[in-house]
């Protein structure tokens, strides 16, 4: 992922509100989002500043070329300060930034790099008695710009380091003026303060742009999650019976076709159990539809709980009729499962005074198992289970019947 891309977390409890920190006037975040934003920015800065810190060390060293021209009286001493003292310190700070885990310490090290570079430039300029050595101090403005914009310090860190660099500039400039006896250069102060303003404004604008990008990413992720949730919910509603939470007929037909194709390729049988609550119309007439719905829910829970494999599917096919699809299951195992379901439903002891079979709710089952091949199709499986269910009802209900071709 590129450095300038943000992994903004979505589903924040609140969108940006009016903050109290003046450096967040543009786009203040609530506390939780502010913490997430700073964490993400710290990650981006850490990754980017490993290279940027080394670049700063190299650029600082390259400015030694100008020492020969601007400081002819002590350029060798200036090189010693640059290469033997300051550059090792800058390299040490860069190494520490990639090794230290605490964000505050990393920010201090990052800000210190600019302050150290600025202090060394002011020191070198003050050591020289050359008439144009004062021009070197203007280079502090470049350090400030690099510190504020390129290193992407937090605004408060950029402000603190800028304040220190302004102090270094003022002290160096005042000292050099006192040595040479020249009056204070108003123009030098105007130029340098312009550097300060540009650096801090650039840092602030960068922070605001990062916040806008973070907020846009967070909102986009939140919308995507809401959309994904809506799609998942729609998929669930389109595949689920709202009363029993079993699969509906549409999902049953889809899974039947899918498992039939798998079984044909794999060479294993597919079993189907059709179930029908006995005398359910009489139950509704006697106890009312709310009681009928409650009865179907309890029966559905049994049909869902008995099969144990994830590939097994219990579905409500319509009214009081249910189907249980059992891939890779032979007729014997399917019959045993159907018998377990029958006994479990009977054990519910749901009163059914209008039943012609038992004073409790009972259920009849038809079971079939077929080896899919090129000459048969899922309709044959459904027809076989339906024929077996018809036989169970004809023979007295509350029983399991098998289909035999």
């Amino acid at each position: 992922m590129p450095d300038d891309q943000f992994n903004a977390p979505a589903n924040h409890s609140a969108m940006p509100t009016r903050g109290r920190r003046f450096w967040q006037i543009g786009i203040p975040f609530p506390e939780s989002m502010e913490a997430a934003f700073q964490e993400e920015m710290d990650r981006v800065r850490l990754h980017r500043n490993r290279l940027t810190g080394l670049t700063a060390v190299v650029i600082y060293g390259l400015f030694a070329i100008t020492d020969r021209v601007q400081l002819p009286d002590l350029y060798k001493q200036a090189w010693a300060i640059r290469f033997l003292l300051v550059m090792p310190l800058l390299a040490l700070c860069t190494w520490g930034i990639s090794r230290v885990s605490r964000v505050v310490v990393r920010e201090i090290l990052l800000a210190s790099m600019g302050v150290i570079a600025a202090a060394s430039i002011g020191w070198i300029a003050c050591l020289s008695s050359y008439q144009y050595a004062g021009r070197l101090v203007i280079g502090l403005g470049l350090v400030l710009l690099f510190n504020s914009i390129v290193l992407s310090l937090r605004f408060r860190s950029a402000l603190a380091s800028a304040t220190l660099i302004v102090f270094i500039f003022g002290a160096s400039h005042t000292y050099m003026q006192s040595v040479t006896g020249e009056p204070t250069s108003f123009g030098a102060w105007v130029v340098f303060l312009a550097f300060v303003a540009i650096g801090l404004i650039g840092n602030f604008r960068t922070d605001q742009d990062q916040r806008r990008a973070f907020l846009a990413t967070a909102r986009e992720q939140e919308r995507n999650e809401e959309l994904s949730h809506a799609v998942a919910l729609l998929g669930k509603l389109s595949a689920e019976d709202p009363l029993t939470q079993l699969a509906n007929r549409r999902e049953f037909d889809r899974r039947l076709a899918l498992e039939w194709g798998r079984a044909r390729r794999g060479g294993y049988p597919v079993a189907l159990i059709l179930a029908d609550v006995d005398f359910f119309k009489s139950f509704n007439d006697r106890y009312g539809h709310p009681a009928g719905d409650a009865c179907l829910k309890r029966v559905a829970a049994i049909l869902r709980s008995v099969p144990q494999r994830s590939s097994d599917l219990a579905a409500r096919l319509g009214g009081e009729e249910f189907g249980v699809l059992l891939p890779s299951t032979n007729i014997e195992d399917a019959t045993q499962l159907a018998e377990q379901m029958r006994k479990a439903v009977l054990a519910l002891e749901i009163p059914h005074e209008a039943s012609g079979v038992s004073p409790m709710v009972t259920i009849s089952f038809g079971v079939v198992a077929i080896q899919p091949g090129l000459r048969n199709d899922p309709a044959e499986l459904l027809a076989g289970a339906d024929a077996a269910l018809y036989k169970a009802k004809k023979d007295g209900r509350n029983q399991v019947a098998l289909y035999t071709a």
Side-chain angles (χ1 to χ4, degrees), residues 53-310:
L54 293 176
T55 303
V57 175
V58 173
I59 293 175
Y60 177 84
L62 290 176
F63 270 92
I65 299 173
T66 65
D67 293 342
R68 183 68 178 84
V69 178
Q70 298 190 62
L71 305 170
D73 57 331
L74 51 71
Y75 68 90
K76 292 183 179 179
Q77 186 176 353
W79 287 355
I81 294 174
R82 285 183 185 273
F83 293 111
L84 300 181
L85 177 61
V86 179
M87 289 181 66
L89 283 177
L90 296 179
L92 183 62
C93 288
T94 301
W95 178 84
I97 289 169
S98 62
R99 294 294 186 276
V100 175
S101 58
R102 293 188 61 185
V103 175
V104 174
V105 177
R106 286 206 306 264
E107 194 76 8
I108 292 174
L109 289 174
L110 201 59
S112 298
M113 293 180 67
V115 175
I116 291 172
S120 68
I121 294 174
W123 179 22
I124 293 172
C126 289
L127 291 176
S128 176
S129 58
Y130 189 59
Q131 59 178 337
Y132 297 119
R135 297 176 180 177
L136 191 66
V137 179
I138 300 299
L140 297 181
L142 298 178
V143 174
L144 191 146
L145 289 179
F146 190 92
N147 219 34
S148 299
I149 299 176
V150 180
L151 292 183
S152 298
L153 292 172
R154 295 186 183 184
F155 184 79
R156 54 188 172 187
S157 300
L159 181 62
S161 63
T163 302
L164 291 175
I165 293 174
V166 169
F167 174 79
I168 293 171
F169 173 82
S172 303
H173 189 71
T174 301
Y175 175 80
M176 296 179 69
Q177 294 295 328
S178 66
V179 170
T180 60
E182 297 180 0
T184 301
S185 174
F186 178 75
W189 272 103
V190 170
V191 171
F192 184 75
L193 291 178
F195 277 122
V196 174
I198 293 171
L200 292 179
I201 291 173
N203 179 276
F204 181 80
R205 292 294 300 272
T206 299
D207 176 78
Q208 296 305 302
D209 289 342
Q210 289 172 340
R211 288 174 181 273
R212 290 186 182 94
F214 182 85
L215 180 59
T217 303
R219 285 173 171 167
E220 181 180 359
Q221 289 184 1
E222 187 170 1
R223 285 194 295 267
N224 289 340
E225 288 185 6
E226 290 175 352
L227 180 60
S228 298
H229 177 72
V231 170
L233 181 60
L234 181 61
K236 181 180 179 182
L237 292 176
S238 66
E240 185 179 273
D241 175 62
L243 176 64
T244 62
Q245 279 73 59
L246 297 182
N248 58 20
R249 182 59 187 256
R250 177 182 178 183
E251 177 65 8
F252 174 83
D253 290 340
R254 187 190 72 83
R255 285 285 299 276
L256 175 58
L258 179 65
E259 296 297 345
W260 188 269
R262 287 175 177 172
R264 184 167 58 190
R265 292 189 298 271
Y268 53 80
V270 175
L272 175 62
I273 301 173
L274 287 185
D276 191 272
V277 179
D278 297 327
F279 298 104
F280 186 71
K281 184 178 182 304
S282 301
F283 185 94
N284 271 339
D285 293 341
R286 175 65 175 82
Y287 298 101
H289 288 283
D293 290 346
C295 173
L296 291 178
K297 288 181 181 180
R298 298 181 67 183
V299 169
I302 295 296
L303 301 183
R304 180 172 47 236
S305 65
V306 173
Q308 298 296 316
R309 301 177 306 177
S310 60

